[in-house]
Amino acid sequence: MNDRMALAINKQINEELYSAYLYHAIRAYFDNLGFDGFSSWMDAQTKEEVFHAEKFFSYMAERGGKVKLYAIKEPDCEWNSPLEAFSAALEHEKHITKCINDLVDIAVEEKDYATRNLLNWYIDEQVEEEDNVGKVVNKLRLIKEDGRGLLMLDRELAVRTFTPDPSTE
Ligand code: FEO
């Protein structure tokens, strides 16, 4: 793997770990509000982000790339409502989708077809990520400040767990 590609993947490892950090912060926000289901959903999301980082990490080793772990920036930790917190998550996922698309551009420019192939998994994953978060945002928009609706959604989101698909490891 050439240096430009390795640098770009190392930056993306940092983006994925920052994602985990951000979702951990959102989880803490929901813990403080006493919403166990929202908190559990964010816990699963946090683990998924660590998995995304680890997948790049392992790939670097396979390709002889040198991993560099950059400092993870501090995420926000204050939101005014569950809708605001999930909207922040959705905006972040859109940012990550752009990062993945930029990585694809670099892989193509560098004729790094193995990395280009790996990135297909992330492209599909981002469709799912934006869809998952976007659906919660839409529900929260409908619920607004309705306490009963929030409690029902909290129960609904409690069932989510994260189990990595062995075929993607
Ligand atoms: Fe790793 Fe949620 O994107």
Side-chain angles (χ1 to χ4, degrees):
M1 175 184 304
N2 73 21
D3 289 349
R4 184 181 177 214
M5 196 76 252
L7 174 67
I9 291 177
N10 279 325
K11 285 185 177 167
Q12 191 59 30
I13 289 172
N14 185 268
E15 290 278 359
E16 301 292 347
L17 292 174
Y18 171 76
S19 305
Y21 222 34
L22 173 64
Y23 296 140
H24 221 39
I26 299 177
R27 180 190 169 187
Y29 164 75
F30 283 122
D31 281 341
N32 287 341
L33 291 180
F35 282 123
D36 293 342
F38 287 118
S39 168
S40 165
W41 196 98
M42 280 295 164
D43 181 49
Q45 187 67 24
T46 298
K47 291 183 169 109
E48 191 158 331
E49 298 303 346
V50 173
F51 176 72
H52 294 170
E54 292 289 337
K55 192 173 173 72
F56 276 123
F57 188 92
S58 303
Y59 176 74
M60 289 286 274
E62 279 174 359
R63 295 284 314 282
K66 191 171 176 193
V67 169
K68 174 104 174 85
L69 295 176
Y70 300 110
I72 302 169
K73 72 179 177 198
E74 183 180 329
D76 287 339
C77 60
E78 301 280 350
W79 294 274
N80 290 316
S81 65
L83 174 59
E84 198 175 276
F86 266 88
S87 296
L90 181 58
E91 283 314 303
H92 182 66
E93 286 304 329
K94 289 178 181 172
H95 164 71
I96 294 294
T97 297
K98 184 183 178 312
C99 292
I100 297 294
N101 290 342
D102 289 347
L103 274 177
V104 171
D105 287 342
I106 293 171
V108 170
E109 283 166 25
E110 298 299 327
K111 296 189 176 0
D112 187 337
Y113 300 116
T115 300
R116 174 68 192 85
N117 199 36
L118 172 84
L119 290 169
N120 279 337
W121 184 88
Y122 286 90
I123 291 169
D124 291 345
E125 185 72 2
Q126 281 312 116
V127 172
E128 196 182 308
E129 294 275 90
E130 285 194 33
D131 184 47
N132 285 343
V133 184
K135 279 178 178 157
V136 180
V137 168
N138 286 341
K139 286 177 183 174
L140 286 168
R141 281 200 183 114
L142 286 172
I143 289 168
K144 295 196 172 76
E145 299 296 317
D146 177 57
R148 199 180 324 175
L150 282 172
L151 288 173
M152 281 175 64
L153 184 58
D154 186 54
R155 268 205 298 276
E156 181 186 320
L157 296 190
V159 299
R160 181 187 179 199
T161 55
F162 172 64
T163 314
D165 177 354
S167 68
T168 64
E169 288 182 73

